């Protein structure tokens, strides 16, 4: 199974960011906005949720690259002798980071999958900012949303009426 | 000759359309009869692609370190 996934040329499309960007646009347009395939709200919710999580996943990995995968420029003399710049990475730390990222996101996807199969709109603890945002675009109201929260002044005006 | 080619092209398109219609109506009938099962199949596809994307995102970076995870050794060796 893993062999066929890793070596499949069709699935490699998902590896390059520009194609993913275009495909996500197509998916959102036809599956969520225009509702061409008439998916249920639960499916639409999960599609948007996965897109949001994929962005978070990409962000985590790119911040790793930015902060820890350092390119250290060697002195000009070395560069002149064609030793060039080299990339310094703590390999052990990198492997631990990538393994943890994989495990956390994999468990997250499994949790969301099983919740959605049970017909529930999955919520992630301490991540209401994400789930509420997804729910907002599908016009779903959640208890943690601050929909229609009134200012104190308005409440007093209502009481006077 | 040109007319003949056009008619062949038109008939081919018609045939493709009928095949597509057959598949689409099949899907529609299935999803109206068994909405829950159709929903589970759709969700499985979506999450399968999410896991594939995660695998590629992680493995691309791991391979760029010049490291091959041990659980992948039987696949590549």
């Amino acid at each position: 199974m893993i062999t066929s996934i890793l070596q499949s040329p069709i699935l490699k499309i998902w590896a390059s960011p520009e194609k993913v960007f275009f495909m996500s646009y197509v998916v959102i347009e036809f599956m969520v906005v225009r509702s061409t395939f008439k998916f249920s709200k639960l499916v639409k919710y999960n599609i948007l949720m996965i897109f949001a999580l994929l962005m978070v996943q990409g962000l985590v990995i790119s911040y790793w690259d930015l902060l820890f995968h350092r390119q250290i420029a060697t002195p000009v003399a070395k560069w002149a002798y064609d030793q060039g710049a080299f990339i310094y990475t703590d390999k052990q730390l990198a492997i631990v980071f990538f393994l943890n990222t994989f495990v956390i996101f994999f468990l997250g996807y499994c949790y969301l999958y099983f919740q959605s199969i049970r017909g529930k709109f999955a919520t992630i603890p301490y991540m209401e900012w994400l789930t509420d945002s997804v729910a907002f675009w599908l016009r779903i109201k959640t208890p943690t949303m601050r929909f229609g929260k009134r200012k104190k002044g308005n409440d007093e005006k209502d009481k006077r009426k | 000759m040109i007319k003949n080619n056009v008619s062949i092209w038109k008939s081919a398109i018609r045939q493709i359309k009928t095949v597509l219609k057959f598949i689409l109506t099949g899907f529609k009938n299935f999803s109206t009869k068994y909405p829950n099962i159709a929903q589970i199949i759709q969700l499985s596809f979506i999450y399968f692609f999410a896991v594939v994307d995660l695998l590629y995102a992680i493995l691309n970076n791991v391979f760029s370190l010049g490291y091959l995870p041990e659980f992948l050794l039987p696949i590549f060796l």
Side-chain angles (χ1 to χ4, degrees), chain B residues 4 16 77:
Chain B
N4 197 17
I16 291 167
L77 294 179

Side-chain angles (χ1 to χ4, degrees), chain A residues 151-158:
Chain A
K151 288 177 185 172
K152 279 183 183 174
N154 286 345
D155 286 343
E156 282 165 13
K157 276 179 195 171
D158 288 344

Side-chain angles (χ1 to χ4, degrees), chain A residues 47-63:
Chain A
I47 290 172
L48 280 182
M49 177 75 105
I50 281 177
F51 275 123
L53 282 175
L54 289 182
M55 280 178 212
V56 174
Q57 174 195 306
L59 208 67
V60 169
I61 292 170
S62 55
Y63 265 106

